Amino acid sequence: MKKFVTLILVSFTLLFCFSFAIFAAEREATGEEISAVKSGQSSAYSWEDSENHWKLLYLDTKEKAWKYAKDRWVQIGHRFYFFDANGNAMEGWFQDEGKWYFAEYDNLKRNNDNAGLVLMGWASIPDEKGKNQTYYFTTDESGRPSGILQGTAGKYDAFTVDGQQVYFDELGHADMRSVSVSVPKFAGKRA
């Protein structure tokens, strides 16, 4: 009897793991899943920790399939994320269409709720020497991230930010001597 119970428990465990593994991959969506997402009874996406990066599996209702976000921007609520061609959420500095962006790093415990979140507005980030530099990450008219403000090579250019004139160099470093604003600090690497 003990062997029978053990066999049933092992079978149940394997079935559970196998069914989860099937759900966690790109695949066709069932009619029930599509209906549940469209009615708001179920989420249209799920985050996956690949041990090195976060990935996002989402339901593409047009193609009726679960897919990984790859080489694209994704908006979830008021938050924006960018995924590379392998489906990894970007962390740190990255470039898209010639513009520079910064996405928050996860922490060593891999439980930062803001991991991969693309910054908008003011941010203080350490440079390669560890010195904090201040940047301004712009948004377009629809509120989507549109990169940092940068001056031209060899000089600081003036931009109006939040009603104040601010000068930025070609690397996007702001001259904060004439600016009165509280700037949040972000890690320059996984901490």
Side-chain angles (χ1 to χ4, degrees):
M1 179 68 171
K2 189 175 182 179
K3 287 184 180 182
F4 179 71
V5 171
T6 303
L7 180 62
I8 288 177
L9 287 175
V10 170
S11 298
F12 178 73
T13 303
L14 289 173
L15 179 63
F16 175 76
C17 292
F18 181 69
S19 64
F20 180 78
I22 289 173
F23 180 77
E26 291 186 323
R27 63 178 176 80
E28 286 187 39
T30 66
E32 293 83 21
E33 290 172 323
I34 294 170
S35 295
V37 167
K38 285 185 176 181
S39 69
Q41 297 172 341
S42 180
S43 178
Y45 64 90
S46 72
W47 287 100
E48 294 181 9
D49 182 355
S50 70
E51 295 188 26
N52 294 319
H53 296 280
W54 287 99
K55 294 181 179 285
L56 184 73
L57 189 65
Y58 72 98
L59 178 61
D60 182 333
T61 55
K62 290 181 183 174
E63 293 191 27
K64 299 179 180 177
W66 288 96
K67 296 181 173 183
Y68 285 105
K70 293 180 182 176
D71 200 25
R72 63 178 290 194
W73 285 93
V74 173
Q75 180 180 358
I76 299 174
H78 297 297
R79 297 169 162 238
F80 291 88
Y81 305 88
F82 188 78
F83 296 86
D84 68 15
N86 295 317
N88 299 320
M90 297 302 297
E91 290 182 324
W93 287 104
F94 69 96
Q95 201 170 20
D96 183 44
E97 295 183 10
K99 296 180 182 179
W100 285 100
Y101 301 86
F102 189 88
E104 284 192 53
Y105 281 96
D106 201 350
N107 57 32
L108 293 176
K109 293 181 182 177
R110 308 245 342 122
N111 63 358
N112 177 1
D113 290 338
N114 292 328
L117 176 66
V118 176
L119 300 182
M120 296 183 282
W122 289 105
S124 177
I125 303 167
D127 61 17
E128 62 278 349
K129 295 178 183 174
K131 181 182 178 202
N132 273 45
Q133 299 291 341
T134 302
Y135 302 89
Y136 188 79
F137 294 88
T138 61
T139 57
D140 64 17
E141 48 287 336
S142 67
R144 298 176 65 85
S146 58
I148 62 171
L149 287 178
Q150 292 178 269
T152 52
K155 67 177 191 165
Y156 279 83
D157 289 331
F159 296 89
T160 302
V161 178
D162 300 332
Q164 299 180 68
Q165 188 168 354
V166 184
Y167 292 87
F168 293 88
D169 69 9
E170 70 271 11
L171 298 175
H173 302 157
D175 180 350
M176 297 301 289
R177 291 178 286 191
S178 63
V179 180
S180 58
V181 65
S182 177
V183 179
K185 292 185 177 186
F186 297 90
K189 60 184 177 181
R190 185 164 292 172

